């Protein structure tokens, strides 16, 4: 049986911290779908279109043979059913992530009892990293090369500084 996991997120844009979680999930599951999922709480705040975020994810996971990229605009629990996924894999950075993630894990379990949520501890070097922090630093002209995968760095930096 192929064990499929979803790495869900807004990925606006995908960071090195996300990529770390996706590649570790790829080591644990047969098939991983890194998926841009619509987050209604952030509806106004997206910098990149869904197509751009999917394209970024495809570029940074191109060398991972068991990773696919997808997107979904409805319930994550339903998407998991469609894909035959048994798990959601998420990175936990700090206690501040916990309450929200715990709540979502319980809601998803209620909506799809066959779906487990697996939390991976973020690697310590990415503990502080978030897409919104990268966007703020980039838009103010700061160097974001440490935070973003090399494959998307120029395109993201150009957009953040208004050159793209
Ligand atoms: O990267 P993010 O923004 O923290 O990811 C959050 C995301 C997209 C995974 C979350 O908002 C989500 O699961 N959205 C889908 C809507 C859904 O299924 N809601 C019910 C369970 S909380």
């Amino acid at each position: 049986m192929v064990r499929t996991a979803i790495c869900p997120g807004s990925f606006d844009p995908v960071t090195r911290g996300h990529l770390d979680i996706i590649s570790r999930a790829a080591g644990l599951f047969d098939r991983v779908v890194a998926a841009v999922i619509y987050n209604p709480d952030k509806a106004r705040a997206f910098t990149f279109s869904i197509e751009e975020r999917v394209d970024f994810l495809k570029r940074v996971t191109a060398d991972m043979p068991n990773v696919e990229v997808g997107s979904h605009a409805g319930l994550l629990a339903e998407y998991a059913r469609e894909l035959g996924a048994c798990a959601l894999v998420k990175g936990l950075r700090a206690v501040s992530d916990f309450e929200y993630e715990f709540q979502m894990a319980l809601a998803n379990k209620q909506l799809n009892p066959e779906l487990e949520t697996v939390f991976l501890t973020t690697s310590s070097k990415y503990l502080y990293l978030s897409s919104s922090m990268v966007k703020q630093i980039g838009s103010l002209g700061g160097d974001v090369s440490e935070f973003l995968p090399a494959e998307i760095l120029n395109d993201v930096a150009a957009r953040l500084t208004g050159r793209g």
Side-chain angles (χ1 to χ4, degrees):
M1 192 177 92
V2 176
R3 300 197 80 81
T4 300
I6 302 176
C7 286
S10 296
F11 298 115
D12 188 47
V14 56
T15 67
R16 289 192 190 213
H18 294 131
L19 200 55
D20 174 57
I21 298 294
I22 295 168
S23 69
R24 286 160 62 201
L28 292 170
F29 291 89
D30 301 314
R31 172 178 172 238
V32 168
V33 180
V36 175
I37 307 291
Y38 180 64
N39 181 346
D41 297 336
K42 294 185 182 169
R44 265 181 260 266
F46 294 122
T47 302
F48 298 96
S49 69
I50 294 198
E51 292 74 22
E52 286 172 313
R53 287 180 266 153
V54 164
D55 173 60
F56 290 156
L57 269 174
K58 283 188 178 162
R59 279 151 66 179
V60 303
T61 58
D63 63 347
M64 300 180 190
N66 63 337
V67 176
E68 296 162 28
V69 176
S71 66
H72 185 72
L75 282 175
L76 187 50
E78 282 304 321
Y79 187 51
R81 244 186 224 113
E82 280 168 33
L83 292 174
C86 62
L88 303 173
V89 177
K90 302 210 159 181
L92 265 194
R93 284 169 301 195
V95 182
S96 52
D97 283 344
F98 181 78
E99 201 167 325
Y100 176 58
E101 291 294 347
F102 192 61
Q103 202 180 11
M104 282 201 289
L106 291 175
N108 283 322
K109 189 79 185 162
Q110 184 70 33
L111 295 167
N112 180 349
E114 268 131 58
L115 185 65
E116 299 293 346
T117 300
V118 176
F119 292 113
L120 296 182
T121 313
T122 298
S123 301
S124 54
K125 60 181 171 176
Y126 300 126
L127 258 184
Y128 59 91
L129 192 53
S130 70
S131 297
S132 43
M133 195 196 70
V134 172
K135 286 192 281 189
Q136 186 171 112
I137 294 172
S139 65
L140 296 171
D143 178 7
V144 287
S145 57
E146 289 291 305
F147 312 134
L148 294 172
E151 296 87 342
I152 64 168
L153 175 62
N154 287 343
D155 287 349
V156 173
R159 172 69 67 81
L160 294 178
T161 54
R163 290 181 285 115

